[in-house]
Amino acid sequence: MKTELLYMKNMEQTECSAKIISIQKNEIGVTVILDQTVFYPQGGGQPYDTGVIKTSDGAVVFRVQQVRYIDDAVHHIGILEQGDISVGMEILCFVDKEKRILHSRLHSAGHVIDMALKELQISWVPGKGYHFPEGSYVEYVADMENISIDTLLSELEQSCNAIISRDIKTTLVFDDTKLQNGKPMRTVFYGDFCIPCGGTHVAYLNQIVSIKIRKIKKEKEAIRISYAVGVL
Ligand SMILES: [Zn+2]
C-alpha cells in the first residue's frame, strides 16, 4: 500500500481528489488511507496538517485531526462527523490553508538560518529542527567558545532578513531511485544552497516576511537558535 505524496511536488496545493483505499477503526479514532494526498504527515520537525476530507455532495465529512506517515502510507486520523465512509469512495481533501502556510514559513525560515550562518562563515553542523508555531528552533552541534551571543544574535537576524529580501525561489529536485525516511528523495535548492528535505516550503523566500532571532542558547550538546517569523 502506498500513498502518492502530492505535497512533495506542489507545496502550494492544499486541495485534491483521492480514493479511499483503507479504513481502520481503533481507540485513537478512525484512520483513513488514500491513494494520494495533499496532507503533510508530521516529520522533519514540521507539524502535520489538519483539515477535512469530504465527498463532493457534502454527504460525508471526515475531520482530519492528525496525519502520520507509516509504512509508505499517509494515515489521516480523525473523526467522522457526517455520513459513512467506505473503501473505494471518491473524496476531496482540503488542508487548513492558513496553518499550512504558517508551517511552511516557519520550516523555510529554519533553512534561512542555515544559509545565514554559512554567509557569516560559521560552519556549525545542523542538528535537530523544531518548526512548530509555539517555540520554533534549530539546533547545531558546535562550540560557542570565542563567540559573543549578543553580537551573533544581531548579525544572524540581519543576515536572515537580507537573504529574505533577495527573494530567492525554492527549487525542487527529485531522485525517485533513492529514499529518505522511506519517502522519495528530494533536494531543496535556494540558489547555491541545497539540502535534502521532505518538508513544505514557501515558493519564494520573501513569503517568510521576516525572521526574528529570539534566543541563542548553549544546550547540553548543541546550540539552540530560537526564532519566530513576522506576521503576514
Ligand atoms: Zn525543508
Side-chain angles (χ1 to χ4, degrees):
M1 189 185 299
K2 197 170 162 66
T3 312
E4 195 185 340
L5 310 173
L6 299 179
Y7 67 85
M8 287 279 271
K9 300 221 157 124
N10 183 351
M11 296 178 291
E12 288 180 291
Q13 186 183 347
T14 52
E15 296 178 15
C16 75
S17 59
K19 194 181 188 176
I20 297 178
I21 55 175
S22 162
I23 300 164
Q24 298 156 23
K25 288 178 187 164
N26 57 32
E27 66 283 352
I28 54 165
V30 180
T31 298
V32 176
I33 298 177
L34 307 170
D35 61 342
Q36 58 177 16
T37 191
V38 281
F39 280 89
Y40 180 78
Q42 190 153 306
Q46 187 181 329
Y48 49 74
D49 285 327
T50 53
V52 71
I53 290 173
K54 53 187 176 187
T55 47
S56 55
D57 61 2
V60 174
V61 180
F62 179 75
R63 179 80 41 199
V64 180
Q65 298 171 313
Q66 209 185 115
V67 188
R68 303 281 177 182
Y69 190 76
I70 305 164
D71 298 333
D72 289 348
V74 175
H75 290 227
H76 306 79
I77 304 155
I79 299 172
L80 188 61
E81 288 184 342
Q82 204 171 296
D84 204 6
I85 47 171
S86 56
V87 171
M89 195 178 254
E90 299 284 343
I91 50 82
L92 300 170
C93 296
F94 299 91
V95 163
D96 286 336
K97 217 171 168 176
E98 258 180 56
K99 204 189 253 186
R100 158 67 77 80
I101 290 170
L102 176 61
H103 292 169
S104 297
R105 292 170 64 229
L106 285 167
H107 174 81
S108 304
H111 292 321
V112 172
I113 294 174
D114 279 354
M115 293 162 77
L117 285 170
K118 216 173 159 192
E119 288 205 352
L120 295 171
Q121 296 182 338
I122 296 171
S123 49
W124 290 351
V125 179
K128 201 172 124 190
Y130 182 84
H131 310 132
F132 285 60
E134 311 79 26
S136 299
Y137 63 77
V138 278
E139 284 187 346
Y140 297 88
V141 181
D143 198 345
M144 277 284 275
E145 270 178 57
N146 304 323
I147 290 180
S148 148
I149 288 184
D150 288 345
T151 311
L152 177 61
L153 196 143
S154 86
E155 283 180 0
L156 183 60
E157 187 171 289
Q158 224 173 359
S159 177
C160 284
N161 289 302
I163 291 169
I164 290 173
S165 71
R166 277 181 237 147
D167 197 18
I168 304 160
K169 189 179 189 301
T170 303
T171 308
L172 306 174
V173 176
F174 291 89
D175 183 351
D176 292 335
T177 63
K178 290 193 194 115
L179 289 178
Q180 179 190 11
N181 301 325
K183 299 172 193 170
M185 177 84 170
R186 192 188 66 185
T187 307
V188 179
F189 282 80
Y190 295 104
D192 319 334
F193 179 88
C194 69
I195 186 161
C197 183
T200 66
H201 306 78
V202 292
Y204 288 88
L205 287 185
N206 80 343
Q207 291 167 356
I208 297 171
V209 179
S210 64
I211 294 179
K212 167 129 192 79
I213 305 296
R214 296 175 50 239
K215 206 198 276 179
I216 300 176
K217 192 169 169 254
K218 177 92 180 103
E219 293 289 318
K220 271 182 202 145
E221 285 154 10
I223 294 164
R224 179 177 292 185
I225 301 179
S226 305
Y227 66 94
V229 294
V231 179
L232 264 186

